[in-house]
Amino acid sequence: MVNILICDDEKDIVAALKIYLEAEGYHTLAAYNGAEALELAAREDVQLVLLDVMMPVMDGITAMARLRETSNVPVILLTAKSEDTDKILGLNVGADDYVTKPFNPVELLARVKSQLRRYLQLGGGEVKSGVLQCGGISLDDKSKTVAVDGEPVTLTPTEFEILRLLLQHPGEVFSPAQLYRRVWNDEPYGAESTVAVHIRHLREKIEIDPAQPRYIKAVWGQGYKLEGKGS
Amino acid sequence: MKKLRGSLWAKTFAIILLALLALTCAASVIAAWWLDEAGAYSRGWDHAAESLVRSRAQEYAENAGLNYLESGTTGVYDDTNFRYALLDARDNTLLFSNWQSEAAWESSLRVTVPHDVSVEYGEDTFDAGEAVHDGPEVRVTPTPRPADGEKVYVLTDFFTGESTRFSDRREVEDWEREHSVLVQGYVLKSLAVQDDFSQRLEALNAVWGLRAALPWIAAASLLLGLLLFVFLLSAAGHRDETDAVTPNVVDKLPWDVLSAALGFAIYALLYAIAETFRYNTPELVLCGGAFLLAGLLFLLWCMSTATRLKLGTLVKGCLLVKLLRWVWKLVKELFLALGKLPLVWKWALGVAALAFVDLLWRMGFQRDGDVLAFGWLLLWLLIGLATCYAVLAFRRLRKGAAQIAAGDESASVDTKRLIGDFKAHAEDLNNIRAGLSRAVDERMKSERFKTELITNVSHDIKTPLTSIVSYVDLLGKEELANDKAKEYIEVLQRQSARLKKLIEDLIEASKASTGSLPVTLTRCELGVLLEQTAGEYAERLEASGLRLVTEKPAEPVTVMADGRHLWRIFDNLMSNICKYAQSGTRVYLSLTREGNKAAVTFRNISREPIKLEGTELTERFVRGDSARSTEGSGLGLAIAQSLAQLQGGDLAVTVDGDLFKVTLRFPVAE
């Protein structure tokens, strides 16, 4: 039984979230401020926390910092503060994901599932040799398979090559010309559109929300990079 | 000792004792000196007596001689112990004698008729001659003048008043011898009569016994006197009643006035003493009294000074000091008044004063070249110093003003050592700076407030919106048999989505226009961005039935921009195109270089006619679709323009019939 802790000072939002999650078969616990959330997390066995940032008594960031002292449970921050600085702050303090309000319920559920999968199935973190991992993506070069959050994904050879190149150099920016040379082994004449199309396809397959990619990020005017904790 | 200090009796007693000691000391000193002069210490009684007598005898002899020469009188000093003999100066013939060879002290003297000899040379005669009145006429008999080079001796007899002229020095000497007499004086040693001589010898006898002790007496009385003097000084100002020092009437006078008066008095007394001092009893007593008086005045002055020193009123009480202070105050007030004059007047006054001083120097010291030069140097030195000071002060002001102009809020002009108008100017500059920094702080506060408003309001709006969106979505998932309900739910879903977009756009627009978006400029290759955009929008364009044509130059075109914001602009524009372009047409996305600017142009054919100007379209909430029937907030172009301006570029919209053209321009980065 998967327990999810929902914490928000708006009772209506908590109620709505309860309905969504219980419809998916999860069991939910509710808290209305940071202190309550910590209390419940300590008492009960939870596998995921949905945490609002702006709350009375104790806000989400503080609560999460406290939580992170003792637990590794995945936390998704849920908030109306959509500034980049707020997102970066939240992720730096230890959140695993960040969803802005108003949210798309489908997207939210997908993220919940992804986090749960990672936590429950991939928590062991066994790294086989020849396997490139970054965040939820694992690429096995020997068997030429790719899995995202445990779920296998089918990629074309080109897409596979691109992903592997990016995984081998996490955080490094590749211009379309460079990508073309490395992957197609050819001079990049008229290459950018081809590269862009392939990147888009790749995103659609591995990202939860291709419009807001978590892994393959575009550095506008320069190229693309893979973001996330590599190994 | 303390008790004694205050006692008036003790002080009086001390003064009297001091007076006596002073007299003793003076007397013994004078006596000793007198004796020493007479040779008493070195040669003995006889010699002393003789010298004492002789000096007086010489006077008598001279008197006797003069008497005889003037009027032939003899027998002077018959009632004294003085005898004399008169002899002719030329051949020593005895003219008169009243000495009968008694035992006497002798002295001889030649006495001549008092006269004057002056020498005339040819050119040196100033005397025009004798004027003789002859009736109404005046005849001048010219004095016989000596010929040039001739020396003439003019001898004037004081007894007769006549002048005789001699041409030879020997003739002058002859005349002198003629009019002289040799006087041999004898003072009888028996001293039968009481006269000057006997008095002198009596005095000598009186003092002779003490002669050895005199110095000691003098020293002892001096020492005791000093002690008493010290005591009196320390007692000065003390009274019986209190322990504190109290001034009396004399002490309250101004010190300089007191000193001047007493000093003058003492000087006058001493002068009188010096003039009238004789070894005669009446004169001695007078001198002694005067000396005592002088001494008392001096003591008074010392005691008063001591009291004042103890009270600390020495300088304060001085009239001169008071005067100087008053003058100083006057001068200060004058300068203060002058300082209030307008600046130009002050400068004019200063120049006039210097010119006047210069004029005075020149006029007054025409003759003396050195002083003139000195004055000139001094004048120029003054001018130099004054202008130097003015220049330095101005430089400091300049520096301060430049710092303020550059926006340095912490700089402040140091007002040390600035005077008058310079100081006022510096203070004004500082006030400006303070006012500026206040204004800047206010501005920053209002900016912060605006940003906070945006973030807080956005949060407050989004929270209920989230509930609306969620519940409408849940409603949508419910199985409803009522078709109308389903329809209404659809409307709700659409509108809440629109509301969400509107709020997000509004916040974005506010942030972009207040400049509170963080902008990090990096090198962006526009060509790469173009292709990335093309890639991202390929499907959507296809879905709208549009074909994208990209044009770009062969070499890369780089600008300094924020990649995320650039993408947002491109995203906005492309999304507009997807929404409003006519299906089945081509869309042109081109990159060109115009001199030192890079231009990205988005061209498309609009589905609906646009009745507005390009400039109007970029305003907020202005929608091309006047019916407002499609989704859109009217903020997209406004946001895009603000973002472009934030990065140092600009966005322009041109409408030509159905052609909708948006041009982005950025300066090229080398």
Side-chain angles (χ1 to χ4, degrees):
Chain A
M1 184 81 286
V2 178
N3 292 326
I4 298 182
L5 173 60
I6 308 172
C7 183
D8 195 317
D9 59 332
E10 280 281 325
K11 295 206 168 62
D12 291 332
I13 294 181
V14 172
L17 284 169
K18 268 179 105 129
I19 298 171
Y20 282 120
L21 291 171
E22 278 166 9
E24 293 294 315
Y26 302 114
H27 185 244
T28 60
L29 300 161
Y32 298 101
N33 63 52
E36 277 184 34
L38 283 173
E39 226 184 306
L40 275 176
R43 238 187 12 232
E44 306 281 335
D45 176 31
V46 292
Q47 278 75 44
L48 185 90
V49 180
L50 284 175
L51 193 57
D52 184 25
V53 172
M54 307 275 272
M55 285 193 291
V57 182
M58 191 191 296
D59 72 297
I61 303 286
T62 324
M64 184 166 57
R66 294 268 183 85
L67 188 64
R68 276 282 170 264
E69 286 168 18
T70 50
S71 161
N72 210 19
V73 73
V75 174
I76 300 179
L77 284 177
L78 196 70
T79 179
K81 285 187 132 198
S82 57
E83 297 300 310
D84 282 346
T85 42
D86 302 307
K87 285 187 199 162
I88 291 167
L89 175 66
L91 291 170
N92 274 344
V93 184
D96 294 275
D97 209 345
Y98 198 104
V99 174
T100 54
K101 296 183 200 170
F103 49 80
N104 182 351
V106 176
E107 185 196 332
L108 181 64
L109 283 172
R111 288 183 194 266
V112 165
K113 285 195 190 131
S114 144
Q115 292 293 336
L116 280 172
R117 254 196 316 255
R118 199 116 53 87
Y119 185 59
L120 298 172
Q121 295 171 10
L122 309 177
E126 350 148 346
V127 181
K128 291 181 282 188
S129 59
V131 173
L132 296 164
Q133 269 200 318
C134 178
I137 305 177
S138 70
L139 179 143
D140 190 337
D141 205 10
K142 293 212 179 80
S143 57
K144 303 286 179 211
T145 54
V146 177
V148 177
D149 298 332
E151 299 238 328
V153 175
T154 333
L155 299 174
T156 67
T158 328
E159 288 161 8
F160 184 86
E161 288 299 312
I162 295 176
L163 186 59
R164 189 180 59 166
L165 180 64
L166 290 174
L167 272 171
Q168 278 165 341
H169 308 273
E172 206 178 300
V173 179
F174 290 90
S175 73
Q178 283 171 312
L179 276 173
Y180 194 85
R181 273 203 199 89
R182 303 278 279 265
V183 171
W184 276 267
N185 282 316
D186 205 353
E187 280 308 305
Y189 289 127
E192 290 89 349
S193 41
T194 324
V195 171
V197 167
H198 277 96
I199 293 277
R200 210 183 65 248
H201 290 157
L202 191 54
R203 274 188 183 147
E204 277 161 18
K205 290 185 183 173
I206 67 172
E207 300 277 358
I208 294 176
D209 181 5
Q212 312 230 2
R214 276 189 310 166
Y215 297 107
I216 301 179
K217 294 238 164 107
V219 182
W220 301 107
Q222 288 175 30
Y224 302 97
K225 70 172 179 182
L226 185 78
E227 186 153 318
K229 300 161 271 249
S231 65
Chain B
M1 193 63 178
K2 282 226 170 126
K3 287 227 180 101
L4 274 177
R5 273 218 294 226
S7 158
L8 194 61
W9 288 116
K11 279 198 265 192
T12 321
F13 179 69
I15 291 174
I16 294 173
L17 196 59
L18 184 61
L20 286 169
L21 283 170
L23 276 174
T24 317
C25 180
S28 39
V29 164
I30 289 171
W33 180 72
W34 186 63
L35 279 175
D36 191 53
E37 244 204 4
Y41 286 109
S42 44
R43 307 268 188 90
W45 196 92
D46 277 331
H47 191 91
E50 188 173 340
S51 75
L52 271 178
V53 161
R54 172 157 301 160
S55 53
R56 204 74 173 100
Q58 296 274 57
E59 276 180 44
Y60 277 45
E62 190 174 355
N63 245 356
L66 282 171
N67 265 320
Y68 176 77
L69 284 169
E70 193 177 14
S71 48
T73 337
T74 57
V76 187
Y77 299 124
D78 275 343
D79 53 349
T80 66
N81 294 311
F82 183 72
R83 299 283 177 273
Y84 64 98
L86 291 168
L87 295 125
D88 191 297
R90 285 165 292 182
D91 52 15
N92 288 342
T93 335
L94 185 69
L95 299 164
F96 166 80
S97 173
N98 57 5
W99 180 53
Q100 272 118 38
S101 304
E102 296 105 320
W105 290 288
E106 288 178 30
S107 71
S108 63
L109 180 68
R110 179 173 127 168
V111 181
T112 319
V113 169
H115 63 282
D116 179 84
V117 181
S118 65
V119 177
E120 283 177 8
Y121 292 94
E123 300 96 60
D124 277 332
T125 37
F126 303 106
D127 187 14
E130 268 183 60
V132 173
H133 296 266
D134 186 10
E137 285 183 358
V138 176
R139 268 187 289 127
V140 176
T141 317
T143 332
R145 290 171 192 271
D148 282 335
E150 209 183 284
K151 214 195 233 181
V152 171
Y153 296 92
V154 180
L155 191 143
T156 318
D157 184 336
F158 283 164
F159 279 154
T160 57
E162 283 171 13
S163 290
T164 330
R165 303 167 79 84
F166 296 108
S167 52
D168 200 309
R169 180 84 209 169
R170 265 202 296 259
E171 288 173 22
V172 172
E173 284 170 15
D174 280 340
W175 186 94
E176 281 174 349
R177 256 199 298 270
E178 249 180 62
H179 291 75
S180 298
V181 75
L182 220 57
V183 184
Q184 298 245 16
Y186 304 94
V187 178
L188 302 174
K189 283 189 184 174
S190 58
L191 294 166
V193 187
Q194 278 285 75
D195 67 348
D196 213 5
F197 298 104
S198 61
Q199 275 179 357
R200 282 195 164 203
L201 284 172
E202 271 170 29
L204 181 65
N205 283 331
V207 177
W208 185 254
L210 287 171
R211 73 182 187 285
L214 279 174
W216 295 109
I217 295 171
S221 50
L222 186 71
L223 200 66
L224 271 171
L226 271 171
L227 280 172
L228 279 171
F229 182 67
V230 167
F231 164 74
L232 279 170
L233 278 184
S234 80
H238 287 271
R239 302 278 170 85
D240 237 342
E241 305 90 53
T242 61
D243 260 350
V245 178
T246 26
N248 58 29
V249 175
V250 174
D251 296 329
K252 289 196 185 134
L253 291 170
W255 186 75
D256 47 355
V257 170
L258 182 72
S259 306
L262 286 177
F264 182 70
I266 290 170
Y267 176 74
L269 283 166
L270 288 174
Y271 185 74
I273 289 171
E275 282 298 295
T276 62
F277 188 71
R278 290 270 180 282
Y279 288 109
N280 287 331
T281 321
E283 281 92 345
L284 276 174
V285 166
L286 220 62
C287 288
F291 177 73
L292 216 60
L293 187 62
L296 262 171
L297 287 175
F298 178 68
L299 185 68
L300 184 71
W301 180 80
C302 284
M303 284 178 73
S304 185
T305 309
T307 314
R308 282 164 208 263
L309 277 172
K310 286 181 210 170
L311 283 173
T313 58
L314 189 71
V315 177
K316 269 201 286 187
C318 279
L319 215 62
L320 199 66
V321 169
K322 281 194 191 152
L323 190 74
L324 279 173
R325 282 221 188 110
W326 179 77
V327 167
W328 179 244
K329 212 164 61 128
L330 217 71
V331 168
K332 266 208 302 199
E333 274 183 36
L334 183 70
F335 268 104
L336 224 75
L338 282 177
K340 294 206 178 92
L341 285 175
L343 191 59
V344 178
W345 278 103
K346 272 192 273 204
W347 170 82
L349 215 65
V351 168
L354 281 174
F356 184 64
V357 168
D358 189 37
L359 187 67
L360 279 180
W361 274 110
R362 283 173 204 280
M363 273 174 26
F365 296 96
Q366 282 280 344
R367 288 164 283 170
D368 194 335
D370 281 341
V371 180
L372 183 63
F374 173 73
W376 181 84
L377 262 171
L378 193 66
L379 180 72
W380 275 101
L381 188 71
L382 276 174
I383 291 176
L385 281 174
T387 46
C388 184
Y389 175 79
V391 164
L392 284 175
F394 185 64
R395 191 181 71 165
R396 203 193 284 177
L397 290 173
R398 273 288 302 120
K399 224 169 39 166
Q403 278 173 333
I404 291 171
D408 184 355
E409 286 168 24
S410 60
S412 109
V413 183
D414 189 3
T415 52
K416 231 175 15 176
R417 290 196 293 268
L418 287 180
I419 55 167
D421 291 280
F422 291 114
K423 187 159 185 198
H425 191 72
E427 280 166 4
D428 284 341
L429 279 178
N430 282 342
N431 281 341
I432 289 174
R433 179 199 53 77
L436 253 182
S437 83
R438 249 202 316 271
V440 165
D441 283 342
E442 295 255 343
R443 178 81 192 278
M444 280 191 14
K445 238 189 354 188
S446 93
E447 287 293 329
R448 267 200 301 268
F449 180 70
K450 268 195 264 186
T451 323
E452 271 179 33
L453 190 67
I454 290 173
T455 41
N456 290 342
V457 164
S458 74
H459 171 267
D460 292 338
I461 290 180
K462 282 191 195 168
T463 309
L465 185 63
T466 311
S467 292
I468 292 174
V469 164
S470 309
Y471 282 98
V472 162
D473 182 69
L474 283 171
L475 256 183
K477 290 200 167 70
E478 291 288 317
E479 289 295 330
L480 290 170
N482 194 336
D483 280 337
K484 277 232 164 96
K486 286 207 188 115
E487 225 183 273
Y488 297 155
I489 288 169
E490 250 172 82
V491 171
L492 282 171
Q493 277 175 329
R494 211 174 44 237
Q495 292 302 334
S496 55
R498 194 160 153 212
L499 189 64
K500 172 179 166 205
K501 180 98 191 358
L502 188 64
I503 288 169
E504 279 169 5
D505 283 351
L506 193 61
I507 291 168
E508 188 89 20
S510 299
K511 284 197 293 200
S513 72
T514 59
S516 51
L517 279 179
V519 176
T520 13
L521 296 176
T522 49
R523 295 177 71 86
C524 282
E525 248 199 67
L526 286 176
V528 170
L529 185 56
L530 229 68
E531 294 298 343
Q532 284 173 318
T533 312
E536 294 289 326
Y537 271 86
E539 275 183 1
R540 268 181 280 186
L541 286 166
E542 225 183 270
S544 301
L546 298 163
R547 206 151 64 85
L548 179 68
V549 178
T550 53
E551 295 161 359
K552 61 185 178 85
E555 70 280 352
V557 182
T558 322
V559 298
M560 293 299 286
D562 187 322
R564 290 166 310 149
H565 292 329
L566 259 189
W567 164 246
R568 189 86 170 80
I569 298 172
F570 277 45
D571 192 24
N572 262 357
L573 295 170
M574 289 305 291
S575 131
N576 273 359
I577 289 173
C578 290
K579 276 187 274 187
Y580 304 118
Q582 171 74 322
S583 168
T585 59
R586 285 181 289 274
V587 174
Y588 292 88
L589 176 57
S590 54
L591 169 66
T592 47
R593 193 157 161 165
E594 296 171 3
N596 67 336
K597 285 214 188 239
V600 181
T601 324
F602 296 71
R603 268 177 286 238
N604 71 289
I605 302 291
S606 173
R607 187 169 51 238
E608 304 290 330
I610 307 166
K611 297 198 191 79
L612 299 159
E613 290 292 321
T615 45
E616 290 174 303
L617 282 167
T618 50
E619 303 212 1
R620 293 191 201 175
F621 301 114
V622 171
R623 308 208 31 224
D625 178 5
S626 45
R628 291 178 124 74
S629 54
T630 51
E631 175 194 301
S633 57
L635 286 171
L637 281 175
I639 292 173
Q641 194 179 47
S642 297
L643 284 172
Q645 283 163 348
L646 260 182
Q647 299 168 78
D650 71 87
L651 181 145
V653 176
T654 339
V655 177
D656 187 2
D658 281 340
L659 174 66
F660 186 80
K661 190 167 88 167
V662 178
T663 317
L664 268 179
R665 284 199 183 79
F666 281 90
V668 177
E670 293 310 324

